[in-house]
Structure formats: structure tokens, C-alpha cells
Amino acid sequence: MNEVKKPKKSLIFYYLIAIVVLLILNFIAVPYMNQRQIKETDYGTFMKMTEEHDIGRVEIQNNQILFTDKAEDNIYKTGLMNDDGLIDRLYKSGAVFSSEIIEEASPLLSFILSWIVPILIFVLLGQYMSKKLMKKAGGSNSMMFNLGKSNAKIYVKSSDGIKFSDVAGEDEAKENLTEIVDYLHSPGRYTEIGASMPKGILLVGPPGTGKTMLAKAVAGEANVPFFSMSGSEFVEMFVGMGASKVRDLFKQAKEKAPCIVFIDEIDAIGQKRDGRVGGNDEREQTLNQLLTEMDGFEGNNGVIILAATNRPESLDPALTRPGRFDRRVPVELPDLKGREEILRVHAKKIKIDYGVDFSKIARMASGASGAELANIINEAALRAIRDGRKSASQHDLEESIEVVIAGYQKKNAILTDKEKMTVAYHEIGHALVAAMQTNSAPVQKITIVPRTSGALGYTMQVEENNHYLMSKDELENKIATLTGGRAAEEVALGTVTTGASNDIEQATKIARAMITRYGMCDKFDMVAMETISNKYLGGDASLQCSETTQTDIDKKVVEIVRRQHEKAAQILLDNRAKLDILAQYLFEHETITGEEFMNILNS
Ligand code: ADP
């Protein structure tokens, strides 16, 4: 969609004009005035000039004498003396008696030029600039001049707007929103039967899953204006400004109805009002205004508010009650099919080799969000350009997944042969344990090329299908696979290294969750030992049990991990010959595919 923008004009031009005018005043006009100014002189000089017949015009005033030289270049003044015969002498010297030696306007003109005009110029320039800045501030929210204006970005109707077809996967969400589009197309059908549309719809889901895109797509499909603003943009330095921004936004929206108003990250203003002392007044006032506005307009006036958040439970209950944001549309991470579709949608934007296996890429990128998948496609295109190719290949895509997961390859990381061998055994240990347990996902790729994330090597496992449930066996196998790396070091090299720290952390997490949250330990049956408190602010788990139980839990965790560690070591001992062959092969080749691995394993 097109955002309306104004062309910029250079302020430097106006500064230059002001400077030129001032220079003219200072160097030409004022010196000219000064030239005509009266010079004070002593009475002796006046008498001498009279004797020398050098007086042009003369004017004798009450307390002073003004006179010019013969050429009338300069005006002089001197004090009045008790000088008999002065008039005679002047007359004889040929001086002309005059009463208009000084033009009256001169001091005034000088005053105007040197004081009034510059001040006027600066006042005008100042006014002009502040007007300009105010206009400019329409695009940013930090200008003092702009307090209280909503400065929502308005997207006008346009034929190239985002459509539902641009949003891949997310079928449930799209289905849900189709109704809104239908309502915006033909509100009559709804009013006829007396139904009113929900005023607000909350799009809930992890970051990068396409919430903003969906909101834009609703506007695009319905062909209505789209106002977009982020929750944090409402919150200003001064109390009350956020509220006035809300008012302004709704005023604009009502003028343009039917339209879509989209508030991103609504939790920034919509958090629960908990009445704490010293709470955030500004945020609460903004929220109150939003609630009032939502109540204020009729159900069918054509303004639909979409809001996005990834912390829905932190929202104030008043905001989520029926009549406000009463409909909640989950926008989840894409499943295997969704990932493939998203990859295809984004692949259309770049040149890509014919016959790329998107399904394989989608399987490799399990758990990736839409934004990450879009990033993977872009990385692949960038890689192709770097290699001087005209289109991206399957290999580019696979490599860019690794870049997104583990960072770039470290070009000149120097590992000693001994370290490299240890890493090779470690990684083969993971892969071998995974492969020998039937329930574990097969290995996609093993590499011992160091990455910028700090990983010295890794084993990429691939989920063949979507996984919604995990059985106890699967969890145990996962722990065994995680301990496989360390077990291989012990079995083959008789030593342990620091390389397993991340594995240890993950294995412990799974084992602890099995006991405290999944009820997979006989001793505690189906009792929750841990609750996720503060789920929406980081998701910390807190134990909810007595100290003795905590000690028991710790013992159980150690027991589970130890049992799986022993199992992994046993698997490796049973396949000791294969372990050596595979590690040696990986040491030489640095990267091997899952296929190569299985071939050697089965040979
Ligand atoms: P959110 O608002 O949920 O954080 P966005 O809507 O801003 O996420 O998405 C960020 C980017 O990710 C989009 O610009 C788009 O390129 C990509 N993306 C996310 N989800 C999808 C999807 N379902 N289909 C296509 N692209 C997607």
C-alpha cells in the first residue's frame, strides 16, 4: 500500500537569504547612514573654518551650532559660545544660513535599518521554521510540537495492497478474518438481521508469525483505508498526551470509515491496571481513553480495530471483555505445511533454481517463524550473489538455514587436530545415539566447521512430521541423544571437555520438566511441582513444593539424566568400530550428510 509523503524543501535556502539581507544592511546601508552622521568638533575648528571660508551651510540652534564644510560632505556640530559678531563673520565667509542641515528621516531610517528590520527578519524566519517543523513532525512522534496528534500511518487504498494470498499458511486465522472482510464489503447484510460485528479483534501469537501482515491483508481484501500505530507510540512524556492521541486516531478513523485501525504491541498500553502506588499514570489514562472510545462508537459504524500482542494474558480484563476486544484470533508458528507454503511465497520474490525441494527445507527449519523463513530465503539470494551466480540453489537454502541457526562459518578459526578429533567424536556420538534409538529423528547433517555463534560443530536433526505430543520414551531418548556427545568423548578418548555445556543444560531442563510438570515420575504421580508464573514476562518457572520434595526432585533429575547417559555410553560401546570409522570420516570431510552417515553405518 502507498503511504502518502510530502516532498522535502531545503531550509538552507532561507537561511542564505536572511544572511545576505543582513550583510547588505551591515556593510552598505548602515555605513552609509554612519557616513551622514554628525561629527562633533571644537569651537576653535569652527572658527578656523569660518576664517578659511570653508563653511557651506550653517544652522545656529538654541544650544549648538550645526554646519557643513564647503563641499557639504560632512556635517559637524559644536557648542554655542558667547561670540559677538559670529553672524557677521559667517556671513562674510559666504556661509549659507539654513534650517535643514540634517534631514529629519535620517536617524529614524538608521534605527529602522539597524534594529527593526533584522528583528523582523528573524521573527518571520522563526515562525516559518516552526511551521515547517510542525509539518515535518507529522512523521515522527518525538517532536514537542506534535504532542497530542496521533500521527498514525495511513495507508491509502491501492491495487497492490497485501492480500490473503500473500499470507501463507495460517488458514484458521484467515478463515476467521474473512468474516470481517465480508462485513466491510456488505455491512447491509449484517445490519438487516441485527447482528453487529466485533469491534475489536486481538491477533495473538509469537513474534514474526504474520500478525501485521494479516491485518494489512484484511484492509487489502476489503479495499478500505488502514491506520497503523504501535502501542508504544501512544505513551508520551507527558500525562494525558497518549489519551489525546487515542482521541485523534479515532476521530480520523471515523472520518474515513469504513476502515481498519491496527494497534501493534497493544500490551504497551493495555497492561493490567494493578493500582500499585506510583503506577504509570500516562499508560492508564491512555488505556482508559481507548476503552471509552471503543464504547463510544456504535457497533456498525465500520471502524474495525485489530490489535496484535504476544502477551495476551497481561492485558487488562476490561480490554478483553465482550464489546471491546472480544474476539481472539491465534496466529501460531507455522506447521510443516505452513512452512513450506511460506517458503514458496517468498521464493517467488527471488530467482531460484528449478526443482528446489521446499519440503526438505521446511523440515530442516522446524520451529521457524514466518519472518525467519522469509529471512532464510533472502539469505540464500544473498549467498548466490556473493558467489556470482544468477539464482539461488537448494544448497544456498540449506546453508542459509544454518546461518540463521548457528551463524556464519568462521573462516579462519584454527583448531588443533586433537581438538578437531574431539569435536568429531562428540558430534558422531550425538548422531550415532540418535540413529540407534528407533524413535529419534534421523540425522540430516553433521558438521565440525566452527560457526560465529561459538558452536564448534553440530548435528542437525530433522523432524519428519509435525509433532504435537511427546511420549516419555521420546523425551528419554532425547536426553540420551544430548548426552551422546559427552559419552563418545569418554568412550573413545577417555576424557571429558567443556564442549558439552549446552547439552547438559538442555538435558537437565527436559528431565526436570518430566518430573515437575509432565507427571512422568512414579513417586510424585500427577502432582504439579512447578508452575510457570509470570508466563508473559519471561516465563520463569517457580517451584511449588516443600524443601524435602525439592531435594527429592533434584535426586530424580540426576537419576534420569544418569540413566540416559549410561544408555548412550552403552550404545556407543556396542558400536565402537562404527564410532571410530565415522569420526575419522567426519574428521577428514568436516561436513557429512545424513545419507553418507547412514551408508557408512549400514555398510
Ligand atoms: P508479527 O506482526 O506477527 O510480528 P509480521 O506480520 O510483521 O509479524 O511479519 C514479519 C515478516 O515475516 C513479514 O513481513 C513477512 O515477510 C514474514 N511472514 C510472517 N508470516 C508470514 C506468512 N504467514 N506468510 C508469508 N510471510 C510471512
Side-chain angles (χ1 to χ4, degrees), residues 166-168 170 207-213 342 346 370-371 374:
D166 296 313
V167 188
E170 307 299 349
T209 45
K211 296 184 289 294
T212 312
M213 257 189 120
I342 295 174
H346 285 279

Side-chain angles (χ1 to χ4, degrees), residues 465-479:
N465 297 305
N466 286 322
H467 243 61
Y468 299 108
L469 284 177
M470 291 281 270
S471 68
K472 186 177 174 189
D473 282 348
E474 281 170 326
L475 286 173
E476 284 176 348
N477 286 346
K478 215 167 172 175
I479 298 175

Side-chain angles (χ1 to χ4, degrees), residues 380-399:
L382 292 177
R383 235 183 93 82
I385 296 168
R386 241 177 277 144
D387 289 0
R389 276 176 285 115
K390 291 266 182 255
S391 66
S393 65
Q394 174 90 21
H395 180 68
D396 288 328
L397 284 168
E398 287 177 18
E399 180 60 30

Side-chain angles (χ1 to χ4, degrees), residues 326-558:
D326 45 5
R327 191 175 286 189
R328 186 178 285 204
V329 176
V331 186
E332 300 290 345
L333 284 176
D335 57 9
L336 183 59
K337 187 167 147 279
R339 287 201 298 275
E340 194 179 329
E341 282 173 22
I342 295 174
L343 285 170
R344 282 181 195 282
V345 163
H346 285 279
K348 279 190 203 136
K349 296 176 194 160
I350 66 165
K351 283 213 176 96
I352 202 155
D353 287 355
Y354 183 72
V356 165
D357 186 356
F358 285 109
S359 148
K360 185 176 172 198
I361 308 292
R363 269 183 282 128
M364 285 172 77
S366 78
S369 69
E372 279 166 330
L373 293 169
N375 192 16
I376 285 170
I377 295 279
N378 193 46
E379 273 293 334
L382 292 177
R383 235 183 93 82
I385 296 168
R386 241 177 277 144
D387 289 0
R389 276 176 285 115
K390 291 266 182 255
S391 66
S393 65
Q394 174 90 21
H395 180 68
D396 288 328
L397 284 168
E398 287 177 18
E399 180 60 30
S400 64
I401 291 183
E402 286 176 57
V403 168
V404 172
I405 296 173
Y408 288 95
Q409 289 187 357
K410 265 192 193 160
K411 285 281 180 255
N412 41 15
I414 302 156
L415 290 188
T416 62
D417 278 357
K418 192 169 166 234
E419 280 172 328
K420 209 168 136 189
M421 199 60 186
T422 312
V423 179
Y425 267 108
H426 185 104
E427 295 307 328
I428 292 293
H430 284 307
L432 200 55
V433 173
M436 300 313 283
Q437 301 173 114
T438 43
N439 288 338
S440 280
V443 172
Q444 169 69 32
K445 181 177 174 177
I446 310 163
T447 168
I448 53 169
V449 180
R451 294 274 167 171
T452 45
S453 66
L456 295 177
Y458 62 90
T459 305
M460 188 188 264
Q461 300 198 358
V462 176
E463 305 273 347
E464 278 303 330
N465 297 305
N466 286 322
H467 243 61
Y468 299 108
L469 284 177
M470 291 281 270
S471 68
K472 186 177 174 189
D473 282 348
E474 281 170 326
L475 286 173
E476 284 176 348
N477 286 346
K478 215 167 172 175
I479 298 175
T481 304
L482 285 167
T483 57
R486 163 63 65 86
E489 291 174 28
E490 289 164 343
V491 168
L493 308 169
T495 173
V496 291
T497 66
T498 53
S501 61
N502 187 33
D503 303 335
I504 291 171
E505 209 179 301
Q506 285 194 46
T508 312
K509 220 187 227 171
I510 298 174
R512 183 170 284 275
M514 281 171 73
I515 298 164
T516 59
R517 280 163 45 207
Y518 306 141
M520 287 180 180
C521 163
D522 290 339
K523 181 163 184 178
F524 301 119
D525 202 46
M526 283 180 64
V527 176
M529 300 293 171
E530 212 177 55
T531 49
I532 301 284
S533 64
N534 240 348
K535 195 163 160 186
Y536 322 106
L537 301 167
D540 320 314
S542 57
L543 278 170
Q544 303 264 310
C545 52
S546 69
E547 270 180 33
T548 18
T549 317
Q550 279 183 30
T551 321
D552 280 351
I553 291 171
D554 290 340
K555 277 188 198 148
K556 284 278 169 200
V557 171
V558 177

